Amino acid sequence: MESNGFRPLDEKSLIEYIKATPSLCSKLGNQLDSLQIKEVGDGNLNFVYIVISSTSSLVIKQAIPYIRCIGESWPMTKERAYFEATTLKEHGRLCPVHVPEVYHFDRVMSLIAMRYLEPPHIILRKGLIAGIEYPLLAEHMSEYMANTLFFTSLLYNSTTEHKRAVAEFCGNVELCRLTEQVVFSDPYKVSQYNRWTFPYLDRDAELVREDDTLKLEVAELKSMFCERAQALIHGDLHTGSVMVTCDSTQVIDPEFSFYGPMGFDVGAFLGNLILAFFAQDGHADQGNDRKAYQQWILRTIEDTWNLFQKKFTALWDEHKDGLGEAYLSAIYNTPELQLLVQKKYMKELFHDTLGFGASKMIRRIVGVAHVEDFESIPGASKRAFCERQALEVAKLLLKERRGFQSINQVISAIQELHDKSSG
Amino acid sequence: MESNGFRPLDEKSLIEYIKATPSLCSKLGNQLDSLQIKEVGDGNLNFVYIVISSTSSLVIKQAIPYIRCIGESWPMTKERAYFEATTLKEHGRLCPVHVPEVYHFDRVMSLIAMRYLEPPHIILRKGLIAGIEYPLLAEHMSEYMANTLFFTSLLYNSTTEHKRAVAEFCGNVELCRLTEQVVFSDPYKVSQYNRWTFPYLDRDAELVREDDTLKLEVAELKSMFCERAQALIHGDLHTGSVMVTCDSTQVIDPEFSFYGPMGFDVGAFLGNLILAFFAQDGHADQGNDRKAYQQWILRTIEDTWNLFQKKFTALWDEHKDGLGEAYLSAIYNTPELQLLVQKKYMKELFHDTLGFGASKMIRRIVGVAHVEDFESIPGASKRAFCERQALEVAKLLLKERRGFQSINQVISAIQELHDKSSG
């Protein structure tokens, strides 16, 4: 485990590491005598330390060669830190406002030093559970997704650059395999890792495993996930990978990043917002029925997609005469044809988004890893009631995604199912 | 050009090379005093030597760092020989009966020594022009394609093995770019490289460049070619990459190989058979109206697809409990569901095949590289008459491919268009 110079750090040895690393000393204003260090890793995989000096601060994230929340029995390459750092830097270059700056990366130690996202930054998922509105969220997330996805695709890059980058990220295969298993496989079969709100959702989980149409569609999405190198995607863009304040939105934790289908990112984000929507009923109380907040979530879903579509096609228009080799301007040479091509592209991306978003929802209800949105609902019966609605919408979106022509129709379907269940 | 030890050989220096290479000496029975050497490279890219000793024979193929038929003004990495050798060995392992054995590979010299396919082996395309029937062709080619494509896909391999191989073949990017340009781009825009049977097809070429629906569909196929790592494809599987006798079928020249969409291979082969079909009218004479031969070509197209489908799904059935991660048997766990999944997969592959096959036909009529099937027709007017029919079928197949449910319907469409034009 401690091969090739790797040592797992703790709060004490981290201080020595910092003192021996000039770039970190300098970043902390060389004020190293009274460092405050706090381990805050609440994720499943890594150790995360907040380091505060009298003049400055930073975060240190270290990957260990197994899955933290399970232990050494589930090994997981610590090389994931390399891909996380590489993507943080690349996405940060493409969208600096919404990605924390990387100060230092040590491949041997699988250690990243980056900007500390100081309070009042909180994990978006926790904000959604608390019922906090983020008026700029759709604007910011659409900006992040449009920039990172467009500029790492063949709409902007040459084949030469694209294949070089694709090859490099093929190295992140262990994390891809984990996604394949927990998102696209386990929920559709009997697996020791699956769990659900027992006993209420027993039959629901069984129905997922018996739904041939659903399994047919999931196979197609899984193949796309494995085979289609469309852009450098974050790979785990749920609402736990976003930190927010009222006016700041920061995307973190791209250790699952690789060249995959764009819809996997957009879908992850929108799918997790839909989960948040259905969880609200479980958080409603006499002081707040959460109905207005649910409407805000739906508007955010709608705005995120519409703004993403607008920004993405605007980037495409802006760079249509650039190096991107997918759609040469000498071929797509009239405004009408350019528009047709974009409409076709965005329609396909929309359907991919719905499919991947739905599969991310399903796995959070009947798969191994659940979301705090539902987990924090007191009472299994109430939780199951919320989860079941989300599951039904997800199954509908996954199976019927090609029938949806606009995000509005998706919102209507969500509302309709919700009103019917609650009515 | 002669960097890193690379030296372009000629007939004389090749003898010295052989004498200095024990494995080649041994392969030639150590009878090196009266070697017969003949350069026979009739392709566009490389030098090919037949080497015959008194007891044995072999072929030496050397890639040079530019495109032979154009000259040093169009550089092309000689590393293509590495990918060709790698794929010859891999496809040879998977289908030894239809791939010539590699005896020796020298990466520095970009040099492959392999089995000499002795007479009466000829290039299939020449056999088709001569009107020779190959009763085993469909059986053999379907066997080659089913084995090479199935065993290099995620239906058989783990994600780990797949991504490792995908990454390696990303290195063959220059050859991929060449395909992107000459197949998916140049025919659809004004390009100095395009040519066609002048003046007869001037308007036809213009119509290709003005056909928005066609260009929309080609964009989708190009994206799939660039992004979708489905299997280790040959990458240039036209009838000039196949050598035949009555009872032997050998696939050569996989220098364009990479992890791409399966339909690109199957389509290349079937598309070139369709070109051969339409070229027959130009080769008909009083002694042979070629009508029976045209029926044989159509039967071969039909049989190739049907046998390919049968063999491919049989391999799938045989290995459904193996390491392949795309369709876990624990999920696709009933015979009915397994059948549904296969039907969906093969239907999509069929439509990909038609799309790619059609795009390969179009580029042979209005793009840079033409086929001898048409080029050898005496008289531009007669040639244009044949080419136009092929072009019309190709446009139909490309634009309406999703409407075709079986290869029979494709055959009918070909016959219908042919009868109408000839009637």
Side-chain angles (χ1 to χ4, degrees), chain A residues 177 220 222 325 344, chain B residues 177 220 222 325 332 344:
Chain A
R177 286 193 75 185
E220 183 176 327
K222 185 180 181 184
E325 296 192 1
K344 182 167 149 73
Chain B
R177 287 193 75 186
E220 184 177 326
K222 183 180 181 183
E325 296 192 2
Y332 303 94
K344 182 167 147 75

Side-chain angles (χ1 to χ4, degrees), chain B residues 246-312:
Chain B
C246 279
D247 51 14
S248 165
T249 305
Q250 303 292 325
V251 177
I252 59 173
D253 291 351
E255 58 211 300
F256 284 85
S257 57
F258 75 115
Y259 275 76
M262 296 178 182
F264 194 76
D265 269 6
V266 188
F269 185 67
L270 298 187
N272 275 269
L273 287 181
I274 302 176
L275 293 180
F277 169 87
F278 284 108
Q280 296 305 319
D281 294 321
H283 299 301
D285 56 31
Q286 287 186 313
N288 186 346
D289 66 5
R290 299 285 182 119
K291 288 195 189 308
Y293 193 62
Q294 283 184 315
Q295 292 311 306
W296 175 80
I297 294 177
L298 293 183
R299 278 201 311 280
T300 301
I301 292 169
E302 187 178 343
D303 291 350
T304 301
W305 173 262
N306 287 333
L307 286 167
F308 167 74
Q309 175 160 270
K310 192 174 141 195
K311 290 165 192 269
F312 190 93

Side-chain angles (χ1 to χ4, degrees), chain B residues 4-291:
Chain B
N4 302 317
F6 174 80
R7 290 172 296 126
L9 297 176
D10 55 25
E11 300 189 4
K12 196 160 156 236
S13 54
L14 180 59
I15 295 186
E16 300 313 310
Y17 181 89
I18 291 168
K19 288 183 174 169
T21 309
S23 63
L24 295 180
C25 295
S26 148
K27 193 76 216 168
L28 291 165
N30 293 306
Q31 304 295 311
L32 309 177
D33 290 334
S34 57
L35 288 184
Q36 293 175 43
I37 297 195
K38 195 176 156 199
E39 209 284 312
V40 295
D42 66 344
N44 299 320
L45 297 178
N46 308 290
F47 285 85
V48 180
Y49 302 90
I50 297 170
V51 180
I52 299 181
S53 77
S54 55
T55 62
S56 189
S57 65
L58 47 78
V59 155
I60 302 263
K61 181 170 178 181
Q62 185 177 37
I64 48 174
Y66 52 88
I67 295 183
R68 182 181 180 183
C69 66
I70 292 182
E72 300 191 26
S73 65
W74 193 333
M76 182 56 56
T77 175
K78 59 189 171 53
E79 266 293 274
R80 62 186 186 265
Y82 169 74
F83 296 104
E84 175 168 0
T86 304
T87 299
L88 278 174
K89 286 186 259 186
E90 176 66 0
H91 282 181
R93 190 177 68 78
L94 298 170
C95 192
V97 181
H98 300 301
V99 180
E101 188 185 346
V102 173
Y103 301 140
H104 166 80
F105 174 60
D106 182 337
R107 189 160 184 176
V108 168
M109 290 290 280
S110 303
L111 182 150
I112 305 170
M114 66 185 104
R115 176 186 162 197
Y116 169 47
L117 298 167
E118 68 289 344
H121 277 102
I122 59 169
I123 294 289
L124 171 58
R125 194 185 297 286
K126 291 185 190 290
L128 294 167
I129 293 166
I132 303 167
E133 292 189 14
Y134 296 97
L136 297 173
L137 184 63
E139 185 74 38
H140 288 173
M141 286 303 294
S142 60
E143 181 79 11
Y144 166 80
M145 295 190 296
N147 277 277
T148 57
L149 298 177
F150 177 82
F151 286 115
T152 60
S153 78
L154 284 164
L155 296 174
Y156 181 75
N157 289 310
S158 71
T159 301
T160 307
E161 168 53 21
H162 192 75
K163 283 212 193 282
R164 186 206 61 72
V166 169
E168 178 171 20
F169 277 91
C170 280
N172 204 17
V173 57
E174 276 197 44
L175 281 281
C176 291
R177 287 193 75 186
L178 182 56
T179 300
E180 287 169 35
Q181 180 184 339
V182 300
V183 176
F184 299 107
S185 296
D186 281 353
Y188 305 93
K189 68 188 188 62
V190 175
S191 161
Q192 56 172 315
Y193 300 109
N194 290 342
R195 59 187 189 82
W196 53 81
T197 301
F198 166 88
Y200 304 94
L201 297 188
D202 287 4
R203 181 61 187 145
D204 301 79
E206 195 174 45
L207 282 172
V208 167
R209 295 195 302 271
E210 288 171 1
D211 188 332
D212 283 4
T213 311
L214 194 66
K215 296 201 281 188
L216 218 56
E217 293 297 335
V218 163
E220 184 177 326
L221 292 165
K222 183 180 181 183
S223 287
M224 202 193 301
F225 180 83
C226 295
E227 293 172 349
R228 186 170 185 196
Q230 194 178 17
L232 177 56
I233 65 173
H234 178 285
D236 197 27
L237 194 55
H238 55 77
T239 51
S241 294
V242 182
M243 294 194 73
V244 285
T245 67
C246 279
D247 51 14
S248 165
T249 305
Q250 303 292 325
V251 177
I252 59 173
D253 291 351
E255 58 211 300
F256 284 85
S257 57
F258 75 115
Y259 275 76
M262 296 178 182
F264 194 76
D265 269 6
V266 188
F269 185 67
L270 298 187
N272 275 269
L273 287 181
I274 302 176
L275 293 180
F277 169 87
F278 284 108
Q280 296 305 319
D281 294 321
H283 299 301
D285 56 31
Q286 287 186 313
N288 186 346
D289 66 5
R290 299 285 182 119
K291 288 195 189 308

Side-chain angles (χ1 to χ4, degrees), chain B residues 348-359:
Chain B
E348 196 201 301
L349 180 47
F350 181 58
H351 293 153
D352 294 350
T353 293
L354 298 182
F356 286 122
S359 60

Side-chain angles (χ1 to χ4, degrees), chain B residues 411-423:
Chain B
I411 302 294
S412 299
I414 293 169
Q415 273 182 313
E416 197 175 308
L417 191 135
H418 179 257
D419 294 348
K420 202 175 66 186
S421 302
S422 306

Side-chain angles (χ1 to χ4, degrees), chain A residues 275-294:
Chain A
L275 294 179
F277 169 87
F278 284 107
Q280 295 305 317
D281 294 322
H283 300 300
D285 56 30
Q286 287 186 314
N288 185 347
D289 66 6
R290 298 283 183 120
K291 290 197 187 307
Y293 193 60
Q294 284 185 314

